[in-house]
Amino acid sequence: MDEQDKLPTDLPTEPREDTRQEDFAQHLRDIRELFARQKRVEDLVHRQEMPRHELVEQIVHKENLAKLAQKLEQLHAADIAYILEALPLDERLMVWDLVKAERDGEILIEVSDAVRESLIETMAPHELKAAAEQLDADELADLAPDLPTEVMEDVFRNLDTEEREQLRAAMSYDEDAVGALMDFDMVTVRADVTLEVVLRYLRLFDDLPDQTDQLFVIDREDHLQGVLPVNAILINDPETSVAAVMRKDALTLRPEDNAETAAHAFERYDLVSAPVVSSEDKLIGRVTVDAVLDYIREEAEADQLAQAGLKEEEDIFAPVMDSVKNRWAWLAINLVTAFIASRVIGAFEGSIEKLVALAALMPIVAGIGGNSGNQTITMIVRAIALGQIGQESERRLLRKELKVALINGVVWGGLLGIIAWWLYGDWRLGVVMTTAMTLNLGLAAAVGVGIPMTLQKLGRDPAVGGSVMVTAVTDSGGFFIFLGLATLFLL
């Protein structure tokens, strides 16, 4: 290859994820700076003695709003959603007012449920109707629970027959079903046409649906016969028939299938899209990888919140009382468990008075037990979510975790026992420390396995309140075990 045939080295490349995240942060900083600058100028104008204060303020305000609107116009809907979630309510609503009306729908879909609620509360019915009409049936189904009934009725009346049926179908499925992730925007072809015909057909589109890695081959009654990968269209002879190159063994989903199971299939087989068929094998939609990723992210966030005892996702700038209502239930439970732990300590006040070292050492036993229990429950909840364990595995997992606890208790409890012996000059205190640590780690292992497995048996989310319950048990149990052993063998 001579010099002029060498490929250029400055070709544009896809931005890396870390670069995109930096861009998000920079956009947010720019907008916050605009708000801060406006406030500084307004404060300065107020301090100056000049005529027409209000006129000057209006000019400054309009100038900043124009810059802000220009900035927002350049951003993707997902970036604007990110910014709205990161702004206090007054600034959030100011930004929302500057967004062009034709972008309202796509932004409402992107923002979190809590922030979406705060935006919808400020919108008039005709604005909500206009925003909803911008969306496809599957997107409208996601937004529908947050819209007033009268708005949804108006939107529904304005849909054509096909869109109404699609909306009904999308709203009829549970949020954890494949049907809730289903997209109706797809390209279908017949098996008896050539690839040349397919190419001519595709050129009629202004844009192909997002994540179109394959076309769906159907008969005249919409029964799925196979899938036609896009690369097969490009690399085969144009005169080849679709039937000759289509894949008949493609993975298919049912709308009632569990969305989590579908997500595992996408991960396992590196899928970009998958057809959704009815019980009669009629093609009714597809699931795409972006919908699956959104579902996985939302489920992961829900599990994190549930483990901390939060009922739902919370707007970080929500009114105080809304945040209080979201958090109070498990705080009340935690208050009860903390009171129980305090009474355990109170029952051994005499022992603590005689041997002050117990007061210094008992938080270590409880703290290590809580950390170990949270490690166990995290592993078990994850395994349940991935479908790796069932009820028949409970005893085997419990034995395994108890063995891990025994080894950790002997090793780390022994180390702490030696340190306690060295600090307080009593080998018996070291033995009590080692024994208490081992027993509390065993208790942590038992509750770490037992709590999520029991919740699963009861049909509840295994992650709900797990960390709170484990900490409560290991605190009270750790105090009781350590102080009880100390009372028996040291006093």
Short mmCIF file of all heavy atoms in Angstrom, two decimals, residues 203-268:
data_model
loop_
_atom_site.label_atom_id
_atom_site.label_comp_id
_atom_site.label_asym_id
_atom_site.label_seq_id
_atom_site.Cartn_x
_atom_site.Cartn_y
_atom_site.Cartn_z
N ARG A 203 -35.71 0.84 0.79
CA ARG A 203 -35.37 2.19 0.34
C ARG A 203 -36.58 3.13 0.36
O ARG A 203 -36.40 4.35 0.27
CB ARG A 203 -34.78 2.14 -1.07
CG ARG A 203 -33.42 1.45 -1.14
CD ARG A 203 -32.77 1.62 -2.50
NE ARG A 203 -31.56 0.82 -2.59
CZ ARG A 203 -31.46 -0.31 -3.30
NH1 ARG A 203 -32.51 -0.76 -3.99
NH2 ARG A 203 -30.32 -0.97 -3.34
N LEU A 204 -37.76 2.57 0.51
CA LEU A 204 -38.96 3.41 0.61
C LEU A 204 -39.09 4.07 1.99
O LEU A 204 -39.83 5.03 2.15
CB LEU A 204 -40.22 2.56 0.34
CG LEU A 204 -40.33 1.94 -1.07
CD1 LEU A 204 -41.57 1.07 -1.15
CD2 LEU A 204 -40.36 3.03 -2.13
N PHE A 205 -38.36 3.52 2.98
CA PHE A 205 -38.44 4.06 4.34
C PHE A 205 -37.58 5.32 4.46
O PHE A 205 -36.47 5.37 3.93
CB PHE A 205 -37.94 3.03 5.36
CG PHE A 205 -38.87 1.88 5.59
CD1 PHE A 205 -38.91 0.80 4.72
CD2 PHE A 205 -39.71 1.87 6.70
CE1 PHE A 205 -39.76 -0.27 4.94
CE2 PHE A 205 -40.57 0.79 6.92
CZ PHE A 205 -40.59 -0.27 6.05
N ASP A 206 -38.08 6.31 5.18
CA ASP A 206 -37.24 7.46 5.52
C ASP A 206 -36.21 7.05 6.57
O ASP A 206 -35.04 7.44 6.50
CB ASP A 206 -38.10 8.60 6.07
CG ASP A 206 -39.01 9.20 5.01
OD1 ASP A 206 -38.60 9.19 3.83
OD2 ASP A 206 -40.11 9.64 5.35
N ASP A 207 -36.66 6.27 7.54
CA ASP A 207 -35.79 5.73 8.58
C ASP A 207 -36.28 4.34 8.94
O ASP A 207 -37.49 4.11 9.01
CB ASP A 207 -35.80 6.60 9.84
CG ASP A 207 -35.08 7.92 9.64
OD1 ASP A 207 -33.88 7.89 9.36
OD2 ASP A 207 -35.75 8.97 9.77
N LEU A 208 -35.35 3.45 9.20
CA LEU A 208 -35.73 2.13 9.71
C LEU A 208 -35.98 2.23 11.21
O LEU A 208 -35.38 3.08 11.90
CB LEU A 208 -34.62 1.11 9.44
CG LEU A 208 -34.43 0.69 7.98
CD1 LEU A 208 -33.25 -0.26 7.87
CD2 LEU A 208 -35.68 0.05 7.42
N PRO A 209 -36.83 1.40 11.75
CA PRO A 209 -37.03 1.39 13.21
C PRO A 209 -35.70 1.17 13.93
O PRO A 209 -34.82 0.46 13.44
CB PRO A 209 -37.98 0.21 13.42
CG PRO A 209 -38.69 0.04 12.12
CD PRO A 209 -37.70 0.42 11.07
N ASP A 210 -35.57 1.78 15.09
CA ASP A 210 -34.34 1.61 15.88
C ASP A 210 -34.09 0.13 16.16
O ASP A 210 -35.03 -0.66 16.31
CB ASP A 210 -34.46 2.36 17.20
CG ASP A 210 -34.47 3.87 17.01
OD1 ASP A 210 -33.99 4.32 15.95
OD2 ASP A 210 -34.96 4.57 17.91
N GLN A 211 -32.82 -0.22 16.23
CA GLN A 211 -32.38 -1.59 16.55
C GLN A 211 -32.87 -2.61 15.53
O GLN A 211 -33.19 -3.76 15.86
CB GLN A 211 -32.86 -2.02 17.96
CG GLN A 211 -32.67 -1.00 19.05
CD GLN A 211 -31.23 -0.59 19.24
OE1 GLN A 211 -30.33 -1.34 18.95
NE2 GLN A 211 -31.02 0.64 19.72
N THR A 212 -32.93 -2.20 14.25
CA THR A 212 -33.35 -3.14 13.21
C THR A 212 -32.13 -3.93 12.74
O THR A 212 -31.38 -3.50 11.86
CB THR A 212 -33.98 -2.40 12.01
OG1 THR A 212 -35.16 -1.72 12.46
CG2 THR A 212 -34.38 -3.38 10.91
N ASP A 213 -31.92 -5.08 13.34
CA ASP A 213 -30.83 -5.97 12.93
C ASP A 213 -31.35 -7.13 12.09
O ASP A 213 -30.57 -7.86 11.48
CB ASP A 213 -30.09 -6.52 14.15
CG ASP A 213 -30.98 -7.45 14.98
OD1 ASP A 213 -32.16 -7.09 15.18
OD2 ASP A 213 -30.51 -8.50 15.40
N GLN A 214 -32.69 -7.28 12.05
CA GLN A 214 -33.28 -8.36 11.29
C GLN A 214 -34.71 -7.97 10.90
O GLN A 214 -35.37 -7.19 11.60
CB GLN A 214 -33.28 -9.66 12.09
CG GLN A 214 -33.99 -9.57 13.43
CD GLN A 214 -33.80 -10.81 14.27
OE1 GLN A 214 -33.13 -11.76 13.89
NE2 GLN A 214 -34.41 -10.83 15.45
N LEU A 215 -35.16 -8.51 9.78
CA LEU A 215 -36.53 -8.35 9.35
C LEU A 215 -37.29 -9.63 9.68
O LEU A 215 -36.70 -10.71 9.79
CB LEU A 215 -36.60 -8.08 7.85
CG LEU A 215 -35.63 -7.02 7.28
CD1 LEU A 215 -35.90 -6.80 5.80
CD2 LEU A 215 -35.73 -5.72 8.05
N PHE A 216 -38.60 -9.52 9.84
CA PHE A 216 -39.40 -10.67 10.24
C PHE A 216 -40.19 -11.18 9.05
O PHE A 216 -40.90 -10.42 8.38
CB PHE A 216 -40.32 -10.28 11.39
CG PHE A 216 -39.56 -9.76 12.58
CD1 PHE A 216 -39.63 -8.42 12.94
CD2 PHE A 216 -38.75 -10.59 13.33
CE1 PHE A 216 -38.90 -7.93 14.01
CE2 PHE A 216 -38.02 -10.12 14.40
CZ PHE A 216 -38.10 -8.78 14.75
N VAL A 217 -40.05 -12.46 8.79
CA VAL A 217 -40.68 -13.10 7.63
C VAL A 217 -42.01 -13.70 8.07
O VAL A 217 -42.05 -14.55 8.97
CB VAL A 217 -39.76 -14.19 7.04
CG1 VAL A 217 -40.39 -14.74 5.76
CG2 VAL A 217 -38.37 -13.63 6.76
N ILE A 218 -43.10 -13.26 7.44
CA ILE A 218 -44.43 -13.72 7.82
C ILE A 218 -45.20 -14.17 6.57
O ILE A 218 -44.85 -13.83 5.45
CB ILE A 218 -45.23 -12.61 8.53
CG1 ILE A 218 -45.35 -11.37 7.63
CG2 ILE A 218 -44.59 -12.24 9.86
CD1 ILE A 218 -46.23 -10.28 8.20
N ASP A 219 -46.25 -14.95 6.81
CA ASP A 219 -47.13 -15.32 5.70
C ASP A 219 -48.31 -14.35 5.65
O ASP A 219 -48.34 -13.34 6.38
CB ASP A 219 -47.59 -16.77 5.83
CG ASP A 219 -48.40 -17.02 7.11
OD1 ASP A 219 -48.89 -16.04 7.72
OD2 ASP A 219 -48.54 -18.19 7.51
N ARG A 220 -49.31 -14.65 4.83
CA ARG A 220 -50.42 -13.73 4.65
C ARG A 220 -51.31 -13.62 5.89
O ARG A 220 -52.06 -12.67 6.04
CB ARG A 220 -51.25 -14.16 3.44
CG ARG A 220 -50.48 -14.07 2.13
CD ARG A 220 -51.35 -14.36 0.93
NE ARG A 220 -50.56 -14.34 -0.28
CZ ARG A 220 -50.21 -13.23 -0.92
NH1 ARG A 220 -50.58 -12.05 -0.46
NH2 ARG A 220 -49.48 -13.29 -2.03
N GLU A 221 -51.23 -14.59 6.79
CA GLU A 221 -52.00 -14.55 8.04
C GLU A 221 -51.15 -14.07 9.21
O GLU A 221 -51.53 -14.23 10.37
CB GLU A 221 -52.57 -15.93 8.38
CG GLU A 221 -53.76 -16.35 7.52
CD GLU A 221 -53.31 -16.76 6.13
OE1 GLU A 221 -52.22 -17.39 6.02
OE2 GLU A 221 -54.03 -16.45 5.15
N ASP A 222 -49.98 -13.49 8.91
CA ASP A 222 -49.07 -12.93 9.92
C ASP A 222 -48.41 -13.97 10.80
O ASP A 222 -47.89 -13.65 11.88
CB ASP A 222 -49.79 -11.91 10.82
CG ASP A 222 -50.18 -10.65 10.06
OD1 ASP A 222 -49.53 -10.36 9.04
OD2 ASP A 222 -51.14 -9.97 10.49
N HIS A 223 -48.40 -15.24 10.39
CA HIS A 223 -47.65 -16.25 11.14
C HIS A 223 -46.15 -16.05 10.88
O HIS A 223 -45.73 -15.87 9.74
CB HIS A 223 -48.06 -17.66 10.72
CG HIS A 223 -49.46 -18.00 11.09
ND1 HIS A 223 -50.49 -18.02 10.18
CD2 HIS A 223 -50.02 -18.34 12.29
CE1 HIS A 223 -51.61 -18.35 10.78
NE2 HIS A 223 -51.36 -18.54 12.07
N LEU A 224 -45.36 -16.10 11.94
CA LEU A 224 -43.92 -15.93 11.81
C LEU A 224 -43.31 -17.18 11.18
O LEU A 224 -43.48 -18.29 11.69
CB LEU A 224 -43.28 -15.66 13.17
CG LEU A 224 -41.77 -15.39 13.15
CD1 LEU A 224 -41.48 -14.04 12.49
CD2 LEU A 224 -41.20 -15.41 14.57
N GLN A 225 -42.56 -16.99 10.10
CA GLN A 225 -41.90 -18.12 9.43
C GLN A 225 -40.40 -18.14 9.67
O GLN A 225 -39.76 -19.18 9.52
CB GLN A 225 -42.19 -18.05 7.93
CG GLN A 225 -43.66 -18.24 7.57
CD GLN A 225 -43.89 -18.24 6.08
OE1 GLN A 225 -43.43 -17.35 5.36
NE2 GLN A 225 -44.61 -19.25 5.59
N GLY A 226 -39.84 -17.00 10.02
CA GLY A 226 -38.40 -16.92 10.26
C GLY A 226 -37.97 -15.47 10.35
O GLY A 226 -38.80 -14.55 10.34
N VAL A 227 -36.66 -15.28 10.46
CA VAL A 227 -36.12 -13.92 10.50
C VAL A 227 -35.05 -13.78 9.42
O VAL A 227 -34.36 -14.76 9.07
CB VAL A 227 -35.51 -13.59 11.88
CG1 VAL A 227 -36.58 -13.63 12.96
CG2 VAL A 227 -34.36 -14.51 12.22
N LEU A 228 -34.94 -12.57 8.90
CA LEU A 228 -33.97 -12.29 7.84
C LEU A 228 -32.97 -11.27 8.36
O LEU A 228 -33.27 -10.07 8.43
CB LEU A 228 -34.69 -11.75 6.60
CG LEU A 228 -33.80 -11.35 5.41
CD1 LEU A 228 -33.05 -12.56 4.87
CD2 LEU A 228 -34.63 -10.69 4.32
N PRO A 229 -31.75 -11.71 8.75
CA PRO A 229 -30.75 -10.76 9.23
C PRO A 229 -30.40 -9.74 8.16
O PRO A 229 -30.33 -10.08 6.97
CB PRO A 229 -29.55 -11.65 9.57
CG PRO A 229 -30.13 -13.01 9.77
CD PRO A 229 -31.28 -13.10 8.82
N VAL A 230 -30.17 -8.51 8.57
CA VAL A 230 -29.84 -7.46 7.62
C VAL A 230 -28.55 -7.77 6.87
O VAL A 230 -28.43 -7.53 5.66
CB VAL A 230 -29.73 -6.10 8.35
CG1 VAL A 230 -29.15 -5.03 7.42
CG2 VAL A 230 -31.09 -5.66 8.86
N ASN A 231 -27.58 -8.36 7.56
CA ASN A 231 -26.32 -8.68 6.87
C ASN A 231 -26.51 -9.74 5.79
O ASN A 231 -25.79 -9.78 4.80
CB ASN A 231 -25.24 -9.10 7.88
CG ASN A 231 -25.58 -10.40 8.58
OD1 ASN A 231 -26.75 -10.76 8.70
ND2 ASN A 231 -24.56 -11.09 9.07
N ALA A 232 -27.53 -10.60 5.95
CA ALA A 232 -27.81 -11.61 4.92
C ALA A 232 -28.31 -10.94 3.64
O ALA A 232 -28.05 -11.43 2.53
CB ALA A 232 -28.84 -12.61 5.43
N ILE A 233 -29.01 -9.82 3.79
CA ILE A 233 -29.48 -9.08 2.61
C ILE A 233 -28.30 -8.50 1.84
O ILE A 233 -28.29 -8.47 0.61
CB ILE A 233 -30.44 -7.95 3.05
CG1 ILE A 233 -31.61 -8.52 3.85
CG2 ILE A 233 -30.96 -7.18 1.84
CD1 ILE A 233 -32.51 -7.44 4.44
N LEU A 234 -27.28 -8.08 2.57
CA LEU A 234 -26.16 -7.37 1.95
C LEU A 234 -25.15 -8.30 1.30
O LEU A 234 -24.54 -7.96 0.28
CB LEU A 234 -25.46 -6.50 3.00
CG LEU A 234 -26.34 -5.44 3.68
CD1 LEU A 234 -25.54 -4.72 4.76
CD2 LEU A 234 -26.86 -4.43 2.65
N ILE A 235 -24.95 -9.49 1.85
CA ILE A 235 -23.85 -10.34 1.38
C ILE A 235 -24.29 -11.42 0.39
O ILE A 235 -23.46 -12.08 -0.21
CB ILE A 235 -23.12 -11.01 2.57
CG1 ILE A 235 -24.06 -11.96 3.31
CG2 ILE A 235 -22.55 -9.96 3.51
CD1 ILE A 235 -23.38 -12.73 4.44
N ASN A 236 -25.61 -11.59 0.22
CA ASN A 236 -26.10 -12.63 -0.70
C ASN A 236 -26.50 -12.03 -2.04
O ASN A 236 -26.74 -10.82 -2.17
CB ASN A 236 -27.28 -13.38 -0.07
CG ASN A 236 -26.85 -14.34 1.02
OD1 ASN A 236 -26.30 -15.39 0.74
ND2 ASN A 236 -27.10 -13.96 2.27
N ASP A 237 -26.58 -12.90 -3.03
CA ASP A 237 -27.00 -12.50 -4.38
C ASP A 237 -28.40 -11.89 -4.31
O ASP A 237 -29.31 -12.48 -3.73
CB ASP A 237 -27.00 -13.73 -5.29
CG ASP A 237 -27.23 -13.37 -6.75
OD1 ASP A 237 -27.93 -12.38 -7.02
OD2 ASP A 237 -26.69 -14.08 -7.62
N PRO A 238 -28.61 -10.71 -4.92
CA PRO A 238 -29.92 -10.06 -4.88
C PRO A 238 -31.04 -10.91 -5.44
O PRO A 238 -32.21 -10.71 -5.09
CB PRO A 238 -29.71 -8.79 -5.71
CG PRO A 238 -28.25 -8.51 -5.64
CD PRO A 238 -27.60 -9.85 -5.58
N GLU A 239 -30.70 -11.86 -6.31
CA GLU A 239 -31.74 -12.70 -6.92
C GLU A 239 -32.14 -13.87 -6.01
O GLU A 239 -33.07 -14.61 -6.33
CB GLU A 239 -31.26 -13.24 -8.27
CG GLU A 239 -30.98 -12.16 -9.30
CD GLU A 239 -32.21 -11.28 -9.53
OE1 GLU A 239 -33.33 -11.82 -9.61
OE2 GLU A 239 -32.05 -10.05 -9.61
N THR A 240 -31.42 -14.03 -4.89
CA THR A 240 -31.75 -15.11 -3.95
C THR A 240 -33.09 -14.81 -3.26
O THR A 240 -33.38 -13.66 -2.92
CB THR A 240 -30.64 -15.25 -2.89
OG1 THR A 240 -29.39 -15.43 -3.54
CG2 THR A 240 -30.91 -16.44 -1.98
N SER A 241 -33.88 -15.83 -3.03
CA SER A 241 -35.15 -15.64 -2.35
C SER A 241 -34.95 -15.51 -0.84
O SER A 241 -33.97 -16.03 -0.28
CB SER A 241 -36.10 -16.80 -2.63
OG SER A 241 -35.64 -17.97 -1.99
N VAL A 242 -35.87 -14.83 -0.20
CA VAL A 242 -35.82 -14.68 1.25
C VAL A 242 -35.86 -16.04 1.93
O VAL A 242 -35.15 -16.30 2.90
CB VAL A 242 -36.98 -13.79 1.74
CG1 VAL A 242 -37.11 -13.84 3.26
CG2 VAL A 242 -36.79 -12.36 1.27
N ALA A 243 -36.68 -16.95 1.40
CA ALA A 243 -36.82 -18.28 2.00
C ALA A 243 -35.50 -19.03 2.05
O ALA A 243 -35.27 -19.84 2.95
CB ALA A 243 -37.86 -19.09 1.22
N ALA A 244 -34.61 -18.75 1.09
CA ALA A 244 -33.34 -19.49 1.01
C ALA A 244 -32.34 -19.05 2.07
O ALA A 244 -31.45 -19.82 2.44
CB ALA A 244 -32.74 -19.33 -0.38
N VAL A 245 -32.45 -17.83 2.56
CA VAL A 245 -31.43 -17.31 3.49
C VAL A 245 -31.99 -16.98 4.87
O VAL A 245 -31.23 -16.67 5.79
CB VAL A 245 -30.73 -16.06 2.91
CG1 VAL A 245 -29.96 -16.41 1.66
CG2 VAL A 245 -31.73 -14.96 2.63
N MET A 246 -33.30 -17.01 5.03
CA MET A 246 -33.85 -16.65 6.35
C MET A 246 -33.54 -17.75 7.38
O MET A 246 -33.30 -18.91 7.02
CB MET A 246 -35.37 -16.46 6.24
CG MET A 246 -36.16 -17.74 6.03
SD MET A 246 -37.93 -17.41 5.95
CE MET A 246 -38.58 -19.08 5.89
N ARG A 247 -33.54 -17.35 8.65
CA ARG A 247 -33.30 -18.29 9.75
C ARG A 247 -34.64 -18.71 10.34
O ARG A 247 -35.47 -17.88 10.70
CB ARG A 247 -32.46 -17.63 10.83
CG ARG A 247 -31.01 -17.41 10.44
CD ARG A 247 -30.27 -16.69 11.55
NE ARG A 247 -30.52 -17.31 12.84
CZ ARG A 247 -30.44 -16.67 14.01
NH1 ARG A 247 -30.15 -15.38 14.03
NH2 ARG A 247 -30.68 -17.30 15.13
N LYS A 248 -34.83 -20.02 10.44
CA LYS A 248 -36.08 -20.54 10.99
C LYS A 248 -35.97 -20.89 12.46
O LYS A 248 -36.98 -21.20 13.10
CB LYS A 248 -36.51 -21.78 10.20
CG LYS A 248 -36.80 -21.50 8.72
CD LYS A 248 -37.24 -22.78 8.01
CE LYS A 248 -37.53 -22.51 6.54
NZ LYS A 248 -37.96 -23.74 5.82
N ASP A 249 -34.74 -20.85 13.00
CA ASP A 249 -34.53 -21.29 14.38
C ASP A 249 -34.36 -20.10 15.34
O ASP A 249 -33.80 -20.26 16.43
CB ASP A 249 -33.29 -22.18 14.47
CG ASP A 249 -32.03 -21.47 13.98
OD1 ASP A 249 -32.15 -20.40 13.34
OD2 ASP A 249 -30.93 -21.98 14.26
N ALA A 250 -34.82 -18.92 14.95
CA ALA A 250 -34.63 -17.74 15.79
C ALA A 250 -35.42 -17.86 17.09
O ALA A 250 -36.50 -18.47 17.14
CB ALA A 250 -35.07 -16.49 15.04
N LEU A 251 -34.86 -17.30 18.15
CA LEU A 251 -35.53 -17.30 19.45
C LEU A 251 -36.78 -16.43 19.37
O LEU A 251 -36.74 -15.31 18.87
CB LEU A 251 -34.60 -16.77 20.53
CG LEU A 251 -35.17 -16.71 21.95
CD1 LEU A 251 -34.12 -17.16 22.95
CD2 LEU A 251 -35.65 -15.30 22.30
N THR A 252 -37.89 -16.94 19.87
CA THR A 252 -39.14 -16.17 19.90
C THR A 252 -39.62 -16.05 21.34
O THR A 252 -39.33 -16.90 22.19
CB THR A 252 -40.24 -16.85 19.06
OG1 THR A 252 -40.47 -18.17 19.55
CG2 THR A 252 -39.84 -16.91 17.59
N LEU A 253 -40.36 -15.00 21.60
CA LEU A 253 -40.90 -14.73 22.93
C LEU A 253 -42.42 -14.68 22.86
O LEU A 253 -42.99 -14.36 21.82
CB LEU A 253 -40.36 -13.40 23.47
CG LEU A 253 -38.85 -13.26 23.58
CD1 LEU A 253 -38.47 -11.83 23.91
CD2 LEU A 253 -38.29 -14.21 24.64
N ARG A 254 -43.06 -14.95 23.99
CA ARG A 254 -44.50 -14.78 24.13
C ARG A 254 -44.74 -13.52 24.97
O ARG A 254 -43.94 -13.20 25.86
CB ARG A 254 -45.12 -15.97 24.85
CG ARG A 254 -44.84 -17.31 24.20
CD ARG A 254 -45.75 -17.58 23.04
NE ARG A 254 -45.61 -18.94 22.54
CZ ARG A 254 -46.15 -19.39 21.43
NH1 ARG A 254 -46.89 -18.57 20.69
NH2 ARG A 254 -45.96 -20.63 21.03
N PRO A 255 -45.83 -12.81 24.71
CA PRO A 255 -46.07 -11.57 25.46
C PRO A 255 -46.25 -11.79 26.95
O PRO A 255 -45.97 -10.90 27.75
CB PRO A 255 -47.34 -11.00 24.81
CG PRO A 255 -47.97 -12.15 24.10
CD PRO A 255 -46.86 -13.04 23.69
N GLU A 256 -46.70 -12.98 27.34
CA GLU A 256 -46.89 -13.26 28.76
C GLU A 256 -45.63 -13.79 29.44
O GLU A 256 -45.62 -14.00 30.66
CB GLU A 256 -48.05 -14.25 28.96
CG GLU A 256 -47.82 -15.63 28.35
CD GLU A 256 -48.22 -15.72 26.89
OE1 GLU A 256 -48.54 -14.66 26.29
OE2 GLU A 256 -48.21 -16.85 26.34
N ASP A 257 -44.55 -14.00 28.69
CA ASP A 257 -43.29 -14.46 29.29
C ASP A 257 -42.77 -13.45 30.29
O ASP A 257 -43.02 -12.24 30.19
CB ASP A 257 -42.23 -14.69 28.20
CG ASP A 257 -42.49 -15.92 27.37
OD1 ASP A 257 -43.33 -16.75 27.77
OD2 ASP A 257 -41.87 -16.06 26.29
N ASN A 258 -42.00 -13.94 31.25
CA ASN A 258 -41.40 -13.06 32.25
C ASN A 258 -40.31 -12.20 31.61
O ASN A 258 -39.45 -12.71 30.90
CB ASN A 258 -40.81 -13.89 33.39
CG ASN A 258 -40.27 -13.04 34.51
OD1 ASN A 258 -39.12 -12.64 34.49
ND2 ASN A 258 -41.11 -12.74 35.48
N ALA A 259 -40.36 -10.90 31.86
CA ALA A 259 -39.40 -9.99 31.25
C ALA A 259 -37.98 -10.28 31.71
O ALA A 259 -37.01 -10.10 30.95
CB ALA A 259 -39.78 -8.54 31.58
N GLU A 260 -37.83 -10.73 32.94
CA GLU A 260 -36.51 -11.04 33.46
C GLU A 260 -35.90 -12.22 32.71
O GLU A 260 -34.70 -12.21 32.38
CB GLU A 260 -36.60 -11.34 34.95
CG GLU A 260 -35.28 -11.31 35.67
CD GLU A 260 -35.47 -11.34 37.17
OE1 GLU A 260 -36.07 -10.40 37.71
OE2 GLU A 260 -35.02 -12.32 37.78
N THR A 261 -36.73 -13.22 32.40
CA THR A 261 -36.27 -14.37 31.62
C THR A 261 -35.83 -13.92 30.23
O THR A 261 -34.81 -14.38 29.70
CB THR A 261 -37.38 -15.42 31.50
OG1 THR A 261 -37.80 -15.81 32.82
CG2 THR A 261 -36.89 -16.65 30.75
N ALA A 262 -36.60 -13.02 29.62
CA ALA A 262 -36.24 -12.48 28.31
C ALA A 262 -34.92 -11.72 28.38
O ALA A 262 -34.08 -11.82 27.47
CB ALA A 262 -37.35 -11.57 27.80
N ALA A 263 -34.71 -10.97 29.46
CA ALA A 263 -33.47 -10.22 29.61
C ALA A 263 -32.27 -11.16 29.68
O ALA A 263 -31.22 -10.90 29.09
CB ALA A 263 -33.54 -9.36 30.87
N HIS A 264 -32.42 -12.29 30.40
CA HIS A 264 -31.34 -13.28 30.47
C HIS A 264 -31.06 -13.86 29.08
O HIS A 264 -29.90 -14.11 28.73
CB HIS A 264 -31.70 -14.40 31.43
CG HIS A 264 -31.85 -13.95 32.85
ND1 HIS A 264 -31.09 -12.93 33.39
CD2 HIS A 264 -32.67 -14.39 33.85
CE1 HIS A 264 -31.43 -12.76 34.65
NE2 HIS A 264 -32.39 -13.61 34.95
N ALA A 265 -32.12 -14.06 28.29
CA ALA A 265 -31.93 -14.60 26.94
C ALA A 265 -31.17 -13.62 26.07
O ALA A 265 -30.29 -14.00 25.29
CB ALA A 265 -33.30 -14.92 26.32
N PHE A 266 -31.49 -12.34 26.18
CA PHE A 266 -30.76 -11.32 25.42
C PHE A 266 -29.29 -11.31 25.79
O PHE A 266 -28.41 -11.18 24.93
CB PHE A 266 -31.38 -9.94 25.66
CG PHE A 266 -32.43 -9.55 24.66
CD1 PHE A 266 -33.68 -10.15 24.68
CD2 PHE A 266 -32.17 -8.59 23.69
CE1 PHE A 266 -34.66 -9.81 23.76
CE2 PHE A 266 -33.14 -8.24 22.76
CZ PHE A 266 -34.39 -8.85 22.79
N GLU A 267 -29.01 -11.45 27.08
CA GLU A 267 -27.62 -11.47 27.53
C GLU A 267 -26.90 -12.74 27.07
O GLU A 267 -25.77 -12.69 26.59
CB GLU A 267 -27.57 -11.37 29.05
CG GLU A 267 -26.16 -11.40 29.63
CD GLU A 267 -26.17 -11.48 31.14
OE1 GLU A 267 -27.22 -11.78 31.73
OE2 GLU A 267 -25.10 -11.24 31.73
N ARG A 268 -27.58 -13.87 27.18
CA ARG A 268 -26.96 -15.15 26.87
C ARG A 268 -26.64 -15.29 25.39
O ARG A 268 -25.58 -15.78 25.01
CB ARG A 268 -27.89 -16.29 27.31
CG ARG A 268 -27.26 -17.68 27.22
CD ARG A 268 -28.23 -18.73 27.73
NE ARG A 268 -28.71 -18.43 29.06
CZ ARG A 268 -29.98 -18.15 29.38
NH1 ARG A 268 -30.90 -18.13 28.45
NH2 ARG A 268 -30.31 -17.89 30.62
#
